[in-house]
Amino acid sequence: MKLREIYKQENSPVISFEFFPPKDDADGKKQAALLTEIEILKKYNPALVSLTHGAGGSSAHNSSAIIQEIKTKYNVNVMPHFTCICSSIQDVNERLELFKKLEIENILALRGDIPPEITECFQDFRYANELISYIKNKSDLSVAVAGYPDGHIESPDLKTDIENLKRKVDEGAEVIYTQLFFENEKFYNFKERVRKAGITIPIAAGIMPVVSAKQTQKILTGIKVKIPKSLLEKTEKFSDNPEDIKKAGIEFATEQYRDLIKQNTEGIHFYTLNKSDAVSQILDNTL
Ligand code: FAD
């Protein structure tokens, strides 16, 4: 089912889960573990699961195997991420061919960031809007894009960022998936400004439960998102007790989720970090 149909259905919010293909997985154990987590989360009826993609194609091989497994084993709609920053036109064409073979209907089109291990980086596409324009001419894929309630790190301000978001929508994007955020007010403010800019497509809110202080700090490096004081105080207070940090993170995300639902948010996109338990607890807490 295509994005526009998924988001047209009555049962909002549309729930989606994001995973990443494991690296260094010669014996396939990490992939098997990931599939188990996906199987657990399937009971919450996600409209789709998304699968990240390293710029330059570093995870391309793993992702196509996983896409196939998820589709055939669990019959879940898969939306692969499609980065372009280090891709040549030929790379993009090859991926489009692959997705045709895998019967993919939806992708999340991104510029991506140059990974440190990449030494040769093509520049056929500078921004995500250029990739969308190309893909729309070459295929009938439905396209989602990224949005940034806290602003994108390279943008001078939110106004410029939303102008650039509009370029992606004008090229045919159908849904916006936001970067993770911790302060719902920032999301509501972003949504209001996006609507004022004339963008009417659904916006799915990105939620990431904090389950480890160290891992969260790593994820927040190089993006504009900050942990709010109330949550930071708890993670510092429980610094020598990982289970208590996780409990506080799940409670915080549960409140975020409840409030987003109350405000009729069209979609909730969970950054699962390849683990099902925190997300399961949030969804169980709100049944
Ligand atoms: P763009 O929309 O191209 O924007 C990049 C910057 O350039 C912004 O500051 C924007 O304001 C500016 N800009 C955009 N268009 C123009 C223009 N035409 N002229 C001038 N300035 C412009 N990264 C990965 O590598 N793999 C992933 O799988 C992945 N998944 C993600 C999923 C989500 C939901 C989100 C929110 C992010 C994800 N990212 C991923 C991170 C993303 O690739 C980075 O944030 C990247 O820096 C920007 O990608 P973008 O598609 O938003 O870029």
Side-chain angles (χ1 to χ4, degrees):
M1 194 187 285
K2 297 226 175 208
L3 285 167
R4 70 184 83 93
E5 290 141 33
I6 293 173
Y7 279 83
K8 225 192 274 166
Q9 291 187 337
E10 296 294 299
N11 48 342
S12 86
V14 170
I15 301 291
S16 52
F17 300 130
E18 180 171 313
F19 300 95
F20 55 87
K23 280 187 184 160
D24 310 322
D25 188 32
D27 60 6
K29 279 192 181 149
K30 288 182 186 167
Q31 179 171 320
L34 171 62
L35 290 168
T36 304
E37 302 297 312
I38 296 175
E39 186 166 6
I40 294 168
L41 287 174
K42 190 183 176 243
K43 78 168 189 211
Y44 300 100
N45 291 322
L48 51 86
V49 303
S50 87
L51 205 59
T52 67
H53 181 247
S58 52
S59 50
H61 174 69
N62 286 352
S63 26
S64 62
I66 294 170
I67 291 167
Q68 239 161 346
E69 284 279 327
I70 302 172
K71 275 173 69 84
T72 50
K73 232 175 164 173
Y74 306 124
N75 194 25
V76 174
N77 202 328
V78 185
M79 176 173 73
H81 297 195
F82 198 139
T83 58
C84 65
I85 194 168
C86 291
S87 302
S88 62
I89 287 178
Q90 194 190 334
D91 294 332
V92 170
N93 287 343
E94 281 170 12
R95 258 196 125 209
L96 287 174
E97 269 308 307
L98 174 71
F99 289 163
K100 206 170 167 183
K101 266 195 221 138
L102 294 172
E103 298 181 346
I104 292 297
E105 294 181 283
N106 310 304
I107 54 138
L108 175 56
L110 298 147
R111 185 196 69 179
D113 293 313
I114 301 176
E117 70 272 15
I118 296 267
T119 47
E120 191 185 357
C121 185
F122 298 100
Q123 294 291 349
D124 279 346
F125 302 89
R126 284 168 309 158
Y127 297 108
N129 66 296
E130 296 172 8
L131 175 69
I132 301 164
S133 166
Y134 187 80
I135 287 176
K136 282 284 168 190
N137 273 320
K138 282 265 179 184
S139 75
D140 63 353
L141 285 166
S142 270
V143 173
V145 289
Y148 301 85
D150 286 83
H152 184 259
I153 190 85
E154 294 162 31
S155 253
D157 49 50
L158 202 52
K159 181 173 173 286
T160 313
D161 220 14
I162 292 173
E163 282 165 11
N164 288 326
L165 175 62
K166 189 154 189 312
R167 294 177 201 262
K168 300 193 273 193
V169 178
D170 289 345
E171 292 292 353
E174 292 170 27
V175 181
I176 297 161
Y177 284 85
T178 78
Q179 187 167 63
L180 67 99
F181 59 87
F182 294 109
E183 293 164 273
N184 285 8
E185 280 312 314
K186 289 211 171 142
F187 174 75
Y188 301 139
N189 171 52
F190 170 74
K191 190 169 172 180
E192 194 183 327
R193 292 180 66 168
V194 166
R195 296 292 178 241
K196 275 196 185 138
I199 298 172
T200 57
I201 61 173
I203 306 174
I207 293 191
M208 188 198 77
V210 168
V211 292
S212 137
K214 198 170 151 203
Q215 184 189 39
T216 304
Q217 284 308 341
K218 196 172 158 205
I219 290 166
L220 300 187
T221 308
I223 64 175
K224 268 189 184 164
V225 182
K226 300 264 173 293
I227 301 187
K229 207 166 158 236
S230 61
L231 183 57
L232 193 63
E233 278 170 1
K234 282 188 186 148
T235 58
E236 279 166 0
K237 188 171 141 198
F238 302 136
S239 60
D240 48 4
N241 191 337
E243 274 311 305
D244 282 347
I245 290 183
K246 190 169 164 184
K247 193 165 164 254
I250 291 171
E251 271 168 21
F252 188 91
T254 302
E255 285 316 308
Q256 255 195 301
Y257 180 72
R258 283 204 178 107
D259 185 61
L260 288 164
I261 290 183
K262 226 163 60 190
Q263 299 298 327
N264 298 321
T265 303
E266 295 133 312
I268 313 267
H269 185 64
F270 284 100
Y271 292 94
T272 68
L273 306 179
N274 286 5
K275 297 279 179 228
S276 61
D277 61 338
V279 174
S280 299
Q281 284 187 52
I282 296 165
L283 293 168
D284 289 342
N285 286 346
T286 47
L287 281 178

